[in-house]
Amino acid sequence: MTLDIETPALLFSATSLILLAYTNRFLTIAQIVRGLKKTYDQDHSKSILLQIKNLNLRLSLIRFMQLFGVLCLFLSVFAMFCLFFELQMIGIYLFAASLLTLLVSLGISFWEISISVTALRLHLSDLMEEKTEKK
């Protein structure tokens, strides 16, 4: 099996966009946590504390998503470097490792999204209960 130097380069645009999306998620959640912290300082509500705990878990997952995304990019560059110097087998293994780290990053992303969806469903179920009680 041979690997051209252009093949690992294909991951650059995809990985860069994924990292940008991860960073945007991180910044949005961080802003929500700051707002909830202000609200918690005033109310000391247990539900707000649970929301902050959930968001903290999501922030940790996003950090790992970013870590594995950056590692994917690093391994791709290193694979290209090896291929440039005609170290074919090392380049192939590094490229395979970069694909694996990308899969891990995407898997953690799926986990974080499912946590987000579950939290939103709980939030909406409270709304639906209030609506049913009013009728």
Side-chain angles (χ1 to χ4, degrees):
M1 176 180 180
T2 61
L3 186 65
D4 293 326
I5 197 165
E6 296 89 15
T7 306
L10 293 173
L11 286 181
F12 281 108
S13 59
T15 308
S16 298
L17 288 174
I18 287 171
L19 289 173
L20 182 62
Y22 292 169
T23 300
N24 286 339
R25 290 182 74 89
F26 181 86
L27 293 174
T28 301
I29 292 173
Q31 185 177 8
I32 293 169
V33 167
R34 287 185 189 100
L36 285 173
K37 169 74 168 75
K38 282 183 183 178
T39 306
Y40 179 76
D41 287 342
Q42 296 168 353
D43 294 346
H44 295 292
S45 170
K46 186 176 180 178
S47 72
I48 292 174
L49 197 59
L50 290 172
Q51 289 178 43
I52 291 172
K53 184 179 177 183
N54 177 285
L55 291 169
N56 189 38
L57 171 63
R58 290 178 57 199
L59 286 172
S60 296
L61 290 175
I62 292 171
R63 183 181 53 182
F64 284 113
M65 290 159 37
Q66 290 173 323
L67 172 74
F68 282 102
V70 168
L71 189 57
C72 170
L73 201 54
F74 177 79
L75 290 170
S76 294
V77 171
F78 203 50
M80 289 175 60
F81 186 71
C82 289
L83 293 170
F84 180 76
F85 287 109
E86 299 179 4
L87 301 168
Q88 190 67 227
M89 284 311 293
I90 296 172
I92 289 171
Y93 287 125
L94 287 171
F95 182 62
S98 73
L99 291 175
L100 188 61
T101 58
L102 182 58
L103 278 173
V104 170
S105 177
L106 293 172
I108 297 170
S109 176
F110 181 75
W111 182 14
E112 189 271 331
I113 289 169
S114 58
I115 290 172
S116 173
V117 169
T118 303
L120 283 173
R121 283 191 179 143
L122 281 172
H123 193 66
L124 291 176
S125 71
D126 290 346
L127 262 172
M128 296 308 285
E129 286 174 13
E130 287 178 18
K131 188 176 180 180
T132 340
E133 288 174 4
K134 287 182 181 180
K135 287 183 178 181

